């Protein structure tokens, strides 16, 4: 619940900054990173609870895990999001 709420709040923060016509690239990258990691973690925990049934393709948990996992790869890997965040932090600190 904490990871999901953190992802939601970061997404709202990035959206608020964009609506206010302020810089939001770092916040958007943070939101995507945290949301994709939270989705993967939560889907993995669901499969853990279901045990062997979690891997059966008839169960929604299997699809949720596949869909969550691809969010860490598709449209900018987690590593790229880390680079975007780090680059923006360095710019903010003027290093």
């Amino acid at each position: 619940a904490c990871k999901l709420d953190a992802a939601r709040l970061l997404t709202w923060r990035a959206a608020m900054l964009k609506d206010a016509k302020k810089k939001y690239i770092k916040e958007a990258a943070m939101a995507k990173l945290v949301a994709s990691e939270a989705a993967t973690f939560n889907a993995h925990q669901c499969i853990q609870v279901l045990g062997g049934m979690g891997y059966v393709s008839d169960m929604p948990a299997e699809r949720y895990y596949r869909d969550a996992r691809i969010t860490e790869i598709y449209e900018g890997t987690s590593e790229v999001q880390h680079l975007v965040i780090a680059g923006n932090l360095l710019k903010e600190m003027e290093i």
Side-chain angles (χ1 to χ4, degrees):
C2 292
K3 293 179 185 201
L4 181 61
D5 202 30
R8 184 177 292 126
L9 292 172
L10 282 167
T11 302
W12 288 345
R13 182 176 174 207
M16 180 190 68
L17 289 170
K18 184 176 188 322
D19 286 345
K21 310 250 190 272
K22 295 181 180 178
K23 293 181 181 180
Y24 66 95
I25 301 298
K26 177 185 73 175
E27 287 76 9
M30 290 167 57
K32 184 187 182 314
L33 177 66
V34 172
S36 63
E37 288 178 352
T40 301
F41 175 80
N42 289 334
H44 178 74
Q45 292 304 310
C46 181
I47 288 175
Q48 289 291 99
V49 168
L50 293 172
M53 287 299 297
Y55 289 105
V56 177
S57 61
D58 293 340
M59 295 291 288
E62 183 267 340
R63 179 168 182 222
Y64 295 152
Y65 184 75
R66 278 188 295 120
D67 291 348
R69 187 69 183 112
I70 198 68
T71 62
E72 292 184 10
I73 300 166
Y74 186 68
E75 288 189 19
T77 64
S78 293
E79 288 79 17
V80 172
Q81 300 305 323
H82 283 285
L83 292 173
V84 170
I85 295 164
N88 279 279
L89 285 172
L90 290 173
K91 283 180 190 175
E92 287 176 9
M93 298 175 81
E94 297 177 359
I95 294 177

